[in-house]
Amino acid sequence: DADVTQTPRNRITKTGKRIMLECSQTKGHDRMYWYRQDPGLGLRLIYYSFDVKDINKGEISDGYSVSRQAQAKFSLSLESAIPNQTALYFCATMAVAGGPGTGELFFGEGSRLTVL
Amino acid sequence: GENVEQHPSTLSVQEGDSAVIKCTYSDSASNYFPWYKQELGKRPQLIIDIRSNVGEKKDQRIAVTLNKTAKHFSLHITETQPEDSAVYFCAASLSFGNEKLTFGTGTRLTIIP
């Protein structure tokens, strides 16, 4: 089945370290997203991309950067991790308007990051 | 930007009873309102959605209602079962297929056997 795959699934790191979370998808969707989930705060959008040349900031982009290496790959980087970036991170994809599954977000399994 | 508020944050109901989760939104231009369910340790998945040209939509035991005048929408689950235990998120966006969904803060629903 077509899917959204995130690596690593769990990561523990120290303050100041550089961390990259990777996302790949076989759904053939153009749009890719990174969300952060914190208890009591829901899902908050960090960055989103329409294609390899189109990257957009979400509501909480400070402290994060992204790279869209190919239509199927979208990575999230924390250049210098800090403890309040401890969270569950989700990658997601969405079909372009008018295509199958349009409007529905398809999430990966999540990457749990702990910054000590 | 859009702001979505969701209540309650936790909800416990007896198996077989109904559950209702409510959301309000701030941007009157929003036209698409999906609901996602996240089971423990799993990824969120879309369970139902509604567009602004419809007041209510049903899918078996779940239904969503929308009041555009009051800017609120609700998820109704009838005849609750243990597998309904999960965190539910409402969301809003300007249009179906719009790239930016704003999510509510989530409701943890527990079904008591």
Side-chain angles (χ1 to χ4, degrees):
Chain A
D1 281 345
D3 205 359
V4 183
T5 303
Q6 294 182 227
T7 56
R9 296 290 311 283
N10 288 283
R11 182 71 182 269
I12 300 174
T13 191
K14 294 182 178 179
T15 297
K17 294 291 188 181
R18 184 178 186 274
I19 293 296
M20 179 180 287
L21 306 179
E22 298 184 331
C23 177
S24 63
Q25 52 114 348
T26 56
K27 289 196 161 296
H29 294 166
D30 288 328
R31 299 177 182 177
M32 297 188 73
Y33 303 77
W34 277 103
Y35 282 90
R36 169 179 172 160
Q37 183 177 13
D38 298 275
L41 295 178
L43 293 156
R44 293 182 291 166
L45 181 62
I46 307 172
Y47 273 94
Y48 61 103
S49 169
F50 291 166
D51 61 39
V52 294
K53 297 180 181 179
D54 191 316
I55 306 287
N56 303 278
K57 292 183 177 180
E59 56 185 305
I60 55 164
S61 59
D62 287 351
Y64 302 95
S65 63
V66 291
S67 173
R68 185 82 182 265
Q69 300 97 323
Q71 192 233 18
K73 295 183 182 296
F74 192 37
S75 60
L76 176 71
S77 294
L78 289 69
E79 294 301 324
S80 180
I82 56 177
N84 77 359
Q85 291 178 312
T86 293
L88 180 59
Y89 291 85
F90 283 103
C91 176
T93 70
M94 183 189 291
V96 171
T102 295
E104 178 178 354
L105 278 171
F106 292 88
F107 288 88
E109 293 181 298
S111 296
R112 185 168 297 280
L113 177 65
T114 303
V115 184
L116 302 176
Chain B
E2 176 67 277
N3 182 50
V4 178
E5 295 189 356
Q6 183 171 347
H7 299 281
S9 56
T10 61
L11 179 61
S12 295
V13 301
Q14 289 291 140
E15 183 177 352
D17 288 349
S18 296
V20 180
I21 302 169
K22 299 180 179 180
C23 290
T24 60
Y25 59 98
S26 61
D27 190 340
S28 57
S30 289
N31 277 318
Y32 175 61
F33 308 94
W35 287 87
Y36 284 77
K37 175 183 179 182
Q38 184 181 27
E39 296 177 2
L40 187 63
K42 301 291 181 65
R43 67 188 89 183
Q45 292 186 301
L46 179 70
I47 55 171
I48 195 168
D49 57 14
I50 191 167
R51 306 184 204 187
S52 64
N53 59 345
V54 175
E56 181 176 3
K57 184 178 180 180
K58 279 187 174 181
D59 183 3
Q60 299 183 335
R61 295 186 298 105
I62 61 173
V64 57
T65 59
L66 171 64
N67 183 328
K68 285 221 74 180
T69 302
K71 292 191 285 186
H72 68 70
F73 56 111
S74 300
L75 178 71
H76 305 253
I77 306 173
T78 59
E79 302 173 8
T80 54
Q81 300 171 3
E83 55 264 35
D84 296 328
S85 292
V87 177
Y88 293 81
F89 294 99
C90 63
S93 73
L94 291 176
S95 63
F96 178 63
N98 186 277
E99 63 277 4
K100 290 183 70 174
L101 277 171
T102 300
F103 284 88
T105 51
T107 297
R108 180 173 299 279
L109 174 63
T110 301
I111 306 303
I112 304 166

